[in-house]
Amino acid sequence: MHPSLEKIISQHGELLDCNRPGVSALVTALDAACYELEFTSGGANGESEGIASLLLERVPAIIYAAEFGPVSKCFYASPQIRDILGFEPTDWTNDPGFWFDHVHPEDRDRAIDADEHTKNTGDPLRVEYRMIARDGRVVWIRDEGVVVRDSVGRAVMIHGLMYDITEQKQAKERLLHDATHDALTGLPNRVLLNDRIEQGIARARRETEHRFAVFCVGIDRFKVINESIGPSGGDQLLSEVATRLRQSVRPADSVARIGGDEFALVAEGVSSKDEADIIAGRVHAALARPFCLNETEIFITASIGIAISTGGDDSREALLRNADIALHHAKRAGKARHEIFDAVMHTAVVKQMQIETDLRRAIERDEFEVHYQPIVSLHTGSIDSVEALVRWRHPDRGLVPPMDFIPVAEETGLIAPIERIVMAKSCRQLAEWNALYGQQSPISLSVNLSARRFVQGDLVKELINIILPSGLSPELIKLEITETVIMNDPDVAVQMLNELKALKLRISLDDFGTGYSSLSYLHKFPIDVVKIDRSFVKMIDTPGQGDEIVRTVVHLAHNLQMNVVAEGIETEAQLERLRELGCEFGQGYYFAKPLDTAAMVQMLSHRVGHKRLAA
Ligand code: C2E
Ligand code: MG
Ligand code: MG
C-alpha cells in the first residue's frame, strides 16, 4: 500500500475497516490513485499524501460506503458530513435508518427508486435529492455511486460521493424563475402561462370531464393613465393590479402577465359561461376599488376576453388566440366588460381572415379605386375641394364600401399600402384636374389618414415620396385625422402634426364631436379645418335638438382661426341654417354623393357644387 494512504488510514482507523470487502475495494482504488498521481506528477510522498488526504477529507463531498441489504447499512462516512449536513460520521454508521430519515419526504420515493435500481442492475447511481441537515436546513445532494460485486458478481456494496449542490440548484432555480416570471410583478410570464395551459389540456385528456378557462385581462386606456401618473406610478399600479388579480382567483388558478397592460388567468374547473361570468365579475370588482398611488386615488377598468376549454383536443395557441379575440370584442364593445369567445366570434374571425386574404390580393391586383365627394363653399356654391374616398372593386362582390374593409385593413396593417394607393391616385388626379379646372382658384384634396398610419415612423418620408412626383402642391392637401388619433397619444400627435405642417400640408379634424368631444384641447394642435360630424348637422332640423353644438363649435373654431366644414348636409334647411351659423364649407348628399372620376369631371366642369346654388 502507498505510504501516504497507509498514514491516512491509520488516522481514520476507527472508521475505515480495511478488511471488509467494500472498504478494501475503496482502499485499493485510492491506493492506485496515489501511485498514479505520484507517477504522473513525479512528486514525492508528501505530495501524494496530500492528494490522498484530499481525496478522503477535502473533497467537497461525503464519501460513503454501504452494504446492500434489506436495509442498506453504511459502514463508512467521511468527515465532510459535518460540514455538509452537520452530523457526525457515526450518526450515520451507527443508525441503519439514518439516510432514509434524513432524505426530504418529497424526494424519498425517487431516491429509494434510484438506489434500488442500482442494487438490482449494478448500474452506477446518480440521483439528486434533498436532505434535511441537523439544523433543519434543506440541502440539495447529488449522490453518485458505483457498486462493488462479490465473487459471483452480485452487487453487494456501494461506494459513493454525496455532493452538496444547494448553491447550484438555487442559482438554477433563480435563473429558471427569472426566465419564467415577470420582473415587475413577480407573476409568471407567457412562458409559464403556456406551460399551465398545456397542463390543463393534458389533464382534460386524462380526466375527460375536466375543463378550465383562459382569461385575457387588458387594462383600459393604460397608456393614458400611465402618462398621467408617470412611469413609476404606472409600475406601482401594475404591481397592485397583479396582487388584486391573484386575490380574485383560487390558489390553484394561475395569474400571469403577458404584456405591458395585459394579464392572463387560467381558472381550473370552469366549464360554463355562468362560472366564467362569476370570475370575470370578481375581477371587475377587484379592479373597481380605487388604487391609491402617491396619495392620489386612481380608478381603472379592465376589458376581459374568455375562452373556455372544450377538452383534451384543445390547442394552447387556439385557447389563447380565442381569449384574445374575445378581449378585442370586449374593448370594441365599449371596454369595462367581458366577452366569452363563441361561435359567432369564430365566424367573424373566419370572415375577417377571408377579407384579409382578399385584401392582400386586391392590393396586388390594384382593385382599389378612388371616388370623390365635393366640399362646397356655402357662400359661393363653388367646389372648394374634394374628399378622396376609397372603394374596392371586388371581382365577385362588386363595389365594396370602406366600412366593410377599412376596419380589417387597420387591424392587419394593410391600411398602409391601401392608403398609399389612395394618396398616389388622388394626388395625380387632382394635379390633372387643377390643370384643367383650377386656373382661377385651385381645388384642394382631402385624404383620410388612419390612426395606425399616423404613428408609423416613416409617414413623413412616405408622403414626400408620393406627393412630390404627383406635381400637386402640398398646400392643397388636407390630411383628415380623427380625434382618437390625437388623443391616443397627444404628445406624439403634436410632434407629428408639426412635422406634417412643416411640409406645408394642412390638417383636418374629421368627424368632430364623435370622439372625445372636447373643445378644450383644440387649441393645442395645429389644426386648419374642423369637420363637424353629420350627427350634429342632423340635429339642426330635428325638432327639439337645436343647433347649440354646431354654433359653439363654429364659434370656437373661428376664434382659433380654423375653418369649419359641416358633414352630411342632406337638406336645404340644414344648408340654410349652417350658412346662418357662419359655417363656411359643407359636404353631403345635398350637393353630391361620392362620385367616380367621370361623374366628378362632369361636376368640376361647372365648378359648382349644386345646381340650386349655381342658379
Ligand atoms: P368620412 O371620412 O367621414 O367620410 C365621409 C363619409 O360620409 C363618406 O362615406 C360619405 O359617403 C359619407 N357621406 C357624405 N355625405 C353624406 C350624407 O349626406 N349623408 C350620409 N348618410 N353620408 C354621407 P364613405 O365613403 O362610405 O366613407 C366612410 C368612411 O370610410 C369615411 O368617413 C372614412 O372614415 C373612411 N374612409 C374612406 N376612405 C378612406 C381612406 O382612404 N382611408 C381611411 N383611413 N379611411 C377612409
Ligand atoms: Mg373623412
Ligand atoms: Mg367625416
Side-chain angles (χ1 to χ4, degrees), residues 279-292:
I279 297 175
R282 275 210 304 269
V283 171
H284 284 307
L287 299 181
R289 294 199 314 274
F291 289 81
C292 201

Side-chain angles (χ1 to χ4, degrees), residues 73-94:
K73 182 179 176 336
C74 173
F75 50 84
Y76 174 72
S78 68
Q80 289 89 322
I81 194 170
R82 294 186 189 118
D83 299 332
I84 294 177
L85 294 171
F87 291 105
E88 287 300 313
T90 47
D91 289 336
W92 191 1
T93 51
N94 291 342

Side-chain angles (χ1 to χ4, degrees), residues 76-216:
Y76 174 72
S78 68
Q80 289 89 322
I81 194 170
R82 294 186 189 118
D83 299 332
I84 294 177
L85 294 171
F87 291 105
E88 287 300 313
T90 47
D91 289 336
W92 191 1
T93 51
N94 291 342
D95 174 7
F98 174 87
W99 179 79
F100 181 88
D101 290 344
H102 290 89
V103 173
H104 194 290
E106 284 174 18
D107 296 351
R108 238 173 235 159
D109 287 348
R110 202 160 39 82
I112 289 172
D113 283 351
D115 210 42
E116 287 289 314
H117 177 82
T118 296
K119 197 189 320 184
N120 295 334
T121 61
D123 289 344
L125 173 75
R126 189 184 166 100
V127 59
E128 291 177 1
Y129 51 82
R130 286 164 294 177
M131 286 190 86
I132 311 293
R134 187 185 204 113
D135 58 7
R137 266 181 310 121
V138 172
V139 179
W140 267 102
I141 295 289
R142 185 168 69 234
D143 191 349
E144 290 179 358
V146 288
V147 296
V148 179
R149 296 176 190 279
D150 65 6
S151 53
V152 290
R154 272 179 314 152
V156 287
M157 209 163 287
I158 182 161
H159 293 158
L161 293 164
M162 285 164 57
Y163 296 92
D164 177 354
I165 54 162
T166 312
E167 270 182 30
Q168 263 165 276
K169 277 280 178 191
Q170 281 170 348
K172 211 162 144 189
E173 270 167 25
R174 252 196 318 275
L175 271 177
L176 193 67
H177 184 274
D178 291 351
T180 53
H181 287 75
D182 164 46
L184 173 67
T185 60
L187 287 179
N189 62 14
R190 201 178 266 278
V191 178
L192 201 52
L193 174 78
N194 286 345
D195 196 50
R196 302 274 161 88
I197 298 174
E198 296 285 7
Q199 280 174 22
I201 297 171
R203 189 168 158 203
R205 233 172 270 142
R206 291 193 307 270
E207 304 164 31
T208 46
E209 293 299 301
H210 180 72
R211 294 287 179 275
F212 62 97
V214 178
F215 293 62
C216 281

Side-chain angles (χ1 to χ4, degrees), residues 435-472:
L436 291 169
Y437 312 110
Q439 271 94 0
Q440 303 222 317
S441 60
I443 309 152
S444 55
L445 169 70
S446 282
V447 194
N448 294 285
L449 204 62
S450 72
R452 174 115 186 202
R453 274 301 284 308
F454 194 73
V455 292
Q456 271 168 2
D458 52 359
L459 177 66
V460 170
K461 213 166 88 197
E462 231 187 72
L463 289 177
I464 296 173
N465 287 340
I466 296 173
I467 295 167
L468 276 184
S470 76
L472 189 67

Side-chain angles (χ1 to χ4, degrees), residues 387-389 446-449 480-481 510-511 531 567 587:
E387 177 172 0
L389 294 159
S446 282
V447 194
N448 294 285
L449 204 62
E480 294 201 358
I481 56 168
D510 204 357
D511 307 339
K531 294 185 81 175
E567 295 189 280
Q587 177 180 3

